[in-house]
Amino acid sequence: MSEKVKVRIDGEVLTATTGQTILEVARANNTYIPALCYMEGLSAVGACRLCMVEISGVGKLQPACTTPVQEGLAVVTASPQLEAYRKIALELLFAERNHVCAVCVSSGHCELQTLAQDHGVTHVRYPYGYPRLAVDTSHPRYVLDHNRCILCSRCVRACAEIEGAHVWDFAGRGIRSMLVSELSRPWGEATTCTSCGKCVQACPTGAMAEKGWGVEEMTKQRSVVSRLSSMREGE
Amino acid sequence: MSKITIDHVTRIEGHGRITIRLDDAGKVSDARFHVTQVRGFERFTVGRPYYEMPSITSRICGICPVSHLLASSKACDEIMAVRIPAAARQLRELLHCAQIVQSHALSFFHLSAPDLLLGMDADPARRNIAGLLEEHPDALRDGIALRRFGQQVIERLARERVHPSWVVPGGVNAPLDPQAREKTLAEIPAAAAIVARTLALWKRAVSDFPDEIDAFSNFPTMYCGLVGPDGSLRLYDGNLRFVGPDGAMVADQVRPDDYASVIGEATLPDSYLKAPYYLPSGHPEGIYRVGPLARLNVADRCGTPDADRELDEYRSRFGRIVQSGFHYHYARLIEATYALERMQELLDDPAILSTKVRAHAGVNASEGTGIIEAPRGTLIHHYRVDDNGAITWANLIVATGHNNLALGRGVLQVAQRFVDGKRITEGALNRVSALVRAYDPCLSCSTHALGMPALLLELRGPDDELLDTIATS
Ligand code: SF4
Ligand code: SF4
Ligand code: FES
């Protein structure tokens, strides 16, 4: 049974429903909290750590996308400390793989790039990993470039939760984690892939794209995934 | 053996180094032009989807990104095995002509005018843009205006001045805005007037440089460039033609995908730049030159009225085959005339406004070659892909590469003439640099040459010990 609760976000008292997350309540009330791995309509996993917020009485920062509200919760969504942490999180995402926006299909329409701009990431203070990563061009219509993957798992969830095909998963641990299709078969040989393209539309970066588009040309219809999910609610 | 090194030839695009070797008697015995930067493009693009090549390779150079974009897109068109829509072809040529105009303006006015208009022996402290501003303010203003015209057209077409993403495999990604057409048409007469004025000025001034004409790469080579089916000058498309030092036809109408039957590539021990040569003649006998001088030597005619008139006059003064590298400057001005006339012709055709500008296709061929005449000369992009469209092999031959052998030989010629081992005059060393600038080499770089560091000259003794250094601004 969901109940109405009162929470305070950045000083403002808001009415919410139990079961909602801090991020959902904030968005419903036009309060902006940066988020990257979160996507409306998909389960929340708390992978990117950009939505971290301060909760009074709780000693450490909590991700807004996975933390449910409760009566009397008081949240701060913006502070110098949060800003500093978010910047670090973004810089680490860039340092981990090879992001060359100047030649990227998603440049100009990339959620990672936009967040970096919004948060004033002008340079990365950590050494780049420069991993040697492959591009999977085996699918006839889509391409996966691991160099631009931030391991957010939006594609994994879109494919498993909305399409029901569950082509994608992660292999490996920590910095060696890699997105894999069907037990590490090339995407083009994955027998479960229906070529629906939901993963591509869900991907926030240029890691997944339709084939044939040049630099800056890949715009994604992210609302498709969220809309499909909302239409299925109550099924 | 003594060695003079000119590091960072100032006012050229990129980084180059010249070593002049002196024998024990202090006479010039050898001279080399080195390119010390490694370009890994052919290696690190392996595995990437072919359609990303235009944007990746256009990062090779911040000065002529449009050239790589076009050559690369043409190679991709071949991989897709499509004929791009007619308007797309026209728009690409239009963009290319704008690039030629702005690049030639940069070369002539910004990079070489201090030498050409102030004199090779002018006080180095004044032989620069500031000195030009004092003595030839009109020419400087013209140069800036002409370059801006070219850049604005590029920006108008591609919405971006540097590294436009408008040209794509299969065509271009947006049709021409009718307003951009009107604006450009309105601006062409002023640009053409600048080029005409500059040509008139240069036609008078060129006779003040008999020594330079004589000693700047004034030696026989073959010449290479693209020509149309009728043998006329082509910048965007056409087939390869090679002519001999005397103008005799060596090879004609060689299709782009057949370039490897006429061009071989040698690697030199002291330079990362490959040295292409005319394959049937072998290395190094197959030395040839590309670029404005070569294009005007290989073409029967330009094919536009004003440029053809200028070409006739140029040939009547210097011969049907113009051999001296010093005349790259003159040739550049004739080409700028041609490029502006072509822009006018292309824009006058209402079909250029067609909204059919892009062909879509997958991988329909495993190999593709794209060739264009970049401002500095023939530019070749050649790719192979697997069935999924991932690059398996790539080869790029850039203009400065074709001219590599001729440049080295030219440096030696100038050094022997102007460098006296015991006394290195400022004018002598500047002439060596000026020769390099006549070729306008673009050294595969992203650094902009304007405001480059001081010219550093080193004089080294027999055991490589540093005898003297001179730095100029
Ligand atoms: S995925 Fe985004 S951040 Fe990464 S290279 Fe592409 S545009 Fe840049
Ligand atoms: S491919 Fe895209 S959606 Fe999938 S994990 Fe990587 S960045 Fe996220
Ligand atoms: S959006 Fe909450 S952790 Fe990524």
Side-chain angles (χ1 to χ4, degrees), chain B residues 338-358:
Chain B
Y338 166 80
L340 287 166
E341 287 181 288
R342 274 302 290 158
M343 289 175 77
Q344 176 86 40
E345 288 175 2
L346 288 162
L347 286 166
D348 278 343
D349 181 356
I352 199 167
L353 289 172
S354 165
T355 50
K356 301 249 182 303
V357 290
R358 185 174 191 169

Tab-separated table of all heavy atoms in Angstrom, chain B residues 338-358:
chain	number	residue	atom	x	y	z
B	338	TYR	N	40.637	30.470	-60.998
B	338	TYR	CA	39.842	29.349	-61.490
B	338	TYR	C	38.793	28.917	-60.457
B	338	TYR	O	37.615	28.717	-60.781
B	338	TYR	CB	40.769	28.178	-61.831
B	338	TYR	CG	40.073	26.856	-62.039
B	338	TYR	CD1	39.449	26.560	-63.251
B	338	TYR	CD2	40.032	25.899	-61.019
B	338	TYR	CE1	38.797	25.343	-63.437
B	338	TYR	CE2	39.386	24.685	-61.201
B	338	TYR	CZ	38.766	24.410	-62.411
B	338	TYR	OH	38.127	23.215	-62.590
B	339	ALA	N	39.222	28.793	-59.205
B	339	ALA	CA	38.312	28.304	-58.160
B	339	ALA	C	37.114	29.241	-58.014
B	339	ALA	O	35.978	28.798	-57.856
B	339	ALA	CB	39.058	28.163	-56.837
B	340	LEU	N	37.366	30.542	-58.089
B	340	LEU	CA	36.258	31.500	-57.964
B	340	LEU	C	35.320	31.417	-59.160
B	340	LEU	O	34.097	31.503	-59.015
B	340	LEU	CB	36.811	32.919	-57.810
B	340	LEU	CG	37.439	33.193	-56.435
B	340	LEU	CD1	38.264	34.475	-56.455
B	340	LEU	CD2	36.365	33.275	-55.355
B	341	GLU	N	35.883	31.219	-60.349
B	341	GLU	CA	35.020	31.069	-61.526
B	341	GLU	C	34.178	29.793	-61.428
B	341	GLU	O	33.005	29.779	-61.809
B	341	GLU	CB	35.873	31.037	-62.806
B	341	GLU	CG	36.443	32.400	-63.165
B	341	GLU	CD	37.255	32.348	-64.446
B	341	GLU	OE1	38.374	31.767	-64.411
B	341	GLU	OE2	36.781	32.859	-65.470
B	342	ARG	N	34.792	28.729	-60.919
B	342	ARG	CA	34.038	27.483	-60.761
B	342	ARG	C	32.908	27.660	-59.749
B	342	ARG	O	31.794	27.172	-59.940
B	342	ARG	CB	34.959	26.347	-60.275
B	342	ARG	CG	35.681	25.599	-61.360
B	342	ARG	CD	34.776	24.970	-62.389
B	342	ARG	NE	33.988	23.839	-61.890
B	342	ARG	CZ	32.859	23.413	-62.461
B	342	ARG	NH1	32.363	24.023	-63.517
B	342	ARG	NH2	32.224	22.374	-61.956
B	343	MET	N	33.200	28.385	-58.678
B	343	MET	CA	32.160	28.612	-57.667
B	343	MET	C	30.973	29.329	-58.291
B	343	MET	O	29.820	28.983	-58.048
B	343	MET	CB	32.723	29.442	-56.499
B	343	MET	CG	33.693	28.665	-55.633
B	343	MET	SD	34.466	29.672	-54.350
B	343	MET	CE	33.131	29.777	-53.176
B	344	GLN	N	31.292	30.319	-59.117
B	344	GLN	CA	30.232	31.059	-59.803
B	344	GLN	C	29.414	30.115	-60.689
B	344	GLN	O	28.180	30.105	-60.634
B	344	GLN	CB	30.879	32.171	-60.642
B	344	GLN	CG	29.916	32.979	-61.491
B	344	GLN	CD	29.301	34.137	-60.702
B	344	GLN	OE1	29.991	34.788	-59.927
B	344	GLN	NE2	28.014	34.377	-60.899
B	345	GLU	N	30.103	29.292	-61.488
B	345	GLU	CA	29.402	28.364	-62.388
B	345	GLU	C	28.508	27.399	-61.615
B	345	GLU	O	27.355	27.155	-61.981
B	345	GLU	CB	30.416	27.530	-63.197
B	345	GLU	CG	31.138	28.318	-64.280
B	345	GLU	CD	32.220	27.493	-64.997
B	345	GLU	OE1	32.395	26.295	-64.681
B	345	GLU	OE2	32.890	28.055	-65.868
B	346	LEU	N	29.059	26.871	-60.536
B	346	LEU	CA	28.298	25.891	-59.754
B	346	LEU	C	27.063	26.525	-59.137
B	346	LEU	O	25.973	25.948	-59.139
B	346	LEU	CB	29.185	25.296	-58.647
B	346	LEU	CG	30.287	24.338	-59.109
B	346	LEU	CD1	31.355	24.176	-58.026
B	346	LEU	CD2	29.697	22.978	-59.468
B	347	LEU	N	27.239	27.734	-58.618
B	347	LEU	CA	26.111	28.390	-57.944
B	347	LEU	C	25.083	28.930	-58.925
B	347	LEU	O	23.908	29.075	-58.580
B	347	LEU	CB	26.629	29.521	-57.042
B	347	LEU	CG	27.311	29.036	-55.764
B	347	LEU	CD1	28.093	30.164	-55.116
B	347	LEU	CD2	26.292	28.472	-54.774
B	348	ASP	N	25.520	29.240	-60.143
B	348	ASP	CA	24.578	29.725	-61.146
B	348	ASP	C	23.566	28.649	-61.551
B	348	ASP	O	22.484	28.958	-62.035
B	348	ASP	CB	25.336	30.203	-62.403
B	348	ASP	CG	25.866	31.621	-62.222
B	348	ASP	OD1	25.378	32.317	-61.306
B	348	ASP	OD2	26.773	32.026	-62.981
B	349	ASP	N	23.930	27.393	-61.347
B	349	ASP	CA	23.039	26.301	-61.734
B	349	ASP	C	21.990	26.077	-60.640
B	349	ASP	O	22.326	25.670	-59.530
B	349	ASP	CB	23.881	25.031	-61.935
B	349	ASP	CG	23.033	23.846	-62.353
B	349	ASP	OD1	21.785	23.984	-62.421
B	349	ASP	OD2	23.615	22.775	-62.604
B	350	PRO	N	20.721	26.329	-60.931
B	350	PRO	CA	19.701	26.174	-59.877
B	350	PRO	C	19.600	24.745	-59.341
B	350	PRO	O	19.115	24.525	-58.230
B	350	PRO	CB	18.395	26.592	-60.560
B	350	PRO	CG	18.695	26.797	-61.995
B	350	PRO	CD	20.179	26.780	-62.208
B	351	ALA	N	20.079	23.779	-60.115
B	351	ALA	CA	20.014	22.382	-59.665
B	351	ALA	C	20.812	22.149	-58.386
B	351	ALA	O	20.599	21.160	-57.673
B	351	ALA	CB	20.524	21.456	-60.772
B	352	ILE	N	21.696	23.091	-58.072
B	352	ILE	CA	22.513	22.919	-56.867
B	352	ILE	C	21.666	22.991	-55.594
B	352	ILE	O	22.081	22.568	-54.524
B	352	ILE	CB	23.674	23.955	-56.836
B	352	ILE	CG1	24.776	23.492	-55.868
B	352	ILE	CG2	23.163	25.349	-56.459
B	352	ILE	CD1	26.074	24.247	-55.965
B	353	LEU	N	20.435	23.534	-55.746
B	353	LEU	CA	19.556	23.645	-54.575
B	353	LEU	C	18.755	22.369	-54.306
B	353	LEU	O	17.988	22.305	-53.342
B	353	LEU	CB	18.587	24.813	-54.754
B	353	LEU	CG	19.199	26.215	-54.665
B	353	LEU	CD1	18.176	27.268	-55.044
B	353	LEU	CD2	19.740	26.478	-53.265
B	354	SER	N	18.930	21.358	-55.146
B	354	SER	CA	18.167	20.117	-54.963
B	354	SER	C	18.299	19.593	-53.535
B	354	SER	O	19.350	19.717	-52.905
B	354	SER	CB	18.670	19.047	-55.937
B	354	SER	OG	18.188	17.782	-55.550
B	355	THR	N	17.205	19.020	-53.048
B	355	THR	CA	17.257	18.479	-51.687
B	355	THR	C	17.682	17.006	-51.679
B	355	THR	O	17.802	16.394	-50.633
B	355	THR	CB	15.885	18.602	-51.004
B	355	THR	OG1	14.901	18.060	-51.883
B	355	THR	CG2	15.557	20.063	-50.719
B	356	LYS	N	17.913	16.447	-52.857
B	356	LYS	CA	18.435	15.076	-52.917
B	356	LYS	C	19.952	15.162	-52.853
B	356	LYS	O	20.607	15.461	-53.841
B	356	LYS	CB	18.036	14.414	-54.233
B	356	LYS	CG	16.530	14.340	-54.437
B	356	LYS	CD	16.055	12.903	-54.363
B	356	LYS	CE	14.569	12.780	-54.600
B	356	LYS	NZ	13.746	13.580	-53.674
B	357	VAL	N	20.483	14.957	-51.666
B	357	VAL	CA	21.922	15.178	-51.500
B	357	VAL	C	22.662	14.024	-50.833
B	357	VAL	O	23.856	14.113	-50.584
B	357	VAL	CB	22.206	16.474	-50.697
B	357	VAL	CG1	21.841	17.704	-51.513
B	357	VAL	CG2	21.474	16.473	-49.362
B	358	ARG	N	21.945	12.939	-50.558
B	358	ARG	CA	22.661	11.860	-49.869
B	358	ARG	C	22.168	10.484	-50.289
B	358	ARG	O	20.968	10.240	-50.317
B	358	ARG	CB	22.469	12.006	-48.359
B	358	ARG	CG	23.272	11.005	-47.547
B	358	ARG	CD	23.141	11.300	-46.076
B	358	ARG	NE	24.099	10.537	-45.295
B	358	ARG	CZ	24.351	10.752	-44.000
B	358	ARG	NH1	23.725	11.714	-43.369
B	358	ARG	NH2	25.233	10.021	-43.349
